[in-house]
């Protein structure tokens, strides 16, 4: 199997321009993965999938929507495969923090 290296590895994260479009696109998708994980833990896989699909449908209606959704779907799979456990730990940590009044 010819597996490509993970494009969002630690070296990439250390070197990418944090104000650039590439970083913002990664963050957008990573946040969608976190939201998917949170919803999946709280309400189940079916609700999480429905929420993700509804988000993609909404984005698809915007300018450049088809390209954005295609990128999100591709990056979502990559991030899910390579960072799921770390993001799940972060979600659990965030949800355990006391909320500000």
């Amino acid at each position: 199997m010819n597996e490509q290296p993970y494009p969002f590895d630690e070296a990439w994260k250390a070197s990418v321009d944090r104000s650039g479009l590439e970083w913002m696109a990664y963050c957008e998708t990573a946040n969608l993965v976190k939201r998917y994980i949170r919803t999946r833990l709280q309400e189940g896989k079916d609700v999480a999938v429905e929420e993700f699909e509804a988000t993609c449908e909404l984005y698809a209606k915007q300018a450049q929507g088809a390209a954005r959704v295609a990128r999100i779907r591709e990056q979502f799979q990559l991030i899910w495969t390579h960072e799921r456990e770390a993001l799940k730990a972060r979600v659990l940590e965030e949800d355990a923090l006391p909320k500000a009044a």
Side-chain angles (χ1 to χ4, degrees), residues 10-69:
E10 294 306 314
W12 178 82
K13 289 176 186 173
S15 67
V16 69
D17 175 5
R18 298 290 173 112
S19 63
L21 294 177
E22 196 176 21
W23 176 252
M24 288 188 284
Y26 165 80
C27 288
E28 175 183 41
T29 306
N31 283 322
L32 288 173
V33 173
K34 284 175 55 179
R35 190 169 92 188
Y36 177 88
I37 290 169
R38 181 172 282 114
T39 301
R40 186 174 170 151
L41 289 170
Q42 294 173 351
E43 301 179 45
K45 181 179 178 180
D46 291 342
V47 175
V49 170
E50 285 176 30
E51 182 179 67
F52 177 75
E53 291 301 331
T55 299
C56 287
E57 205 172 294
L58 179 67
Y59 289 173
K61 294 176 183 176
Q62 299 172 358
Q64 303 295 316
R68 182 180 183 192
V69 170

Side-chain angles (χ1 to χ4, degrees), residues 85-99:
E85 292 305 317
L87 290 174
K88 180 179 176 183
R90 195 171 316 157
V91 165
L92 292 171
E93 181 181 304
E94 289 170 0
D95 289 353
L97 294 173
K99 304 297 182 220

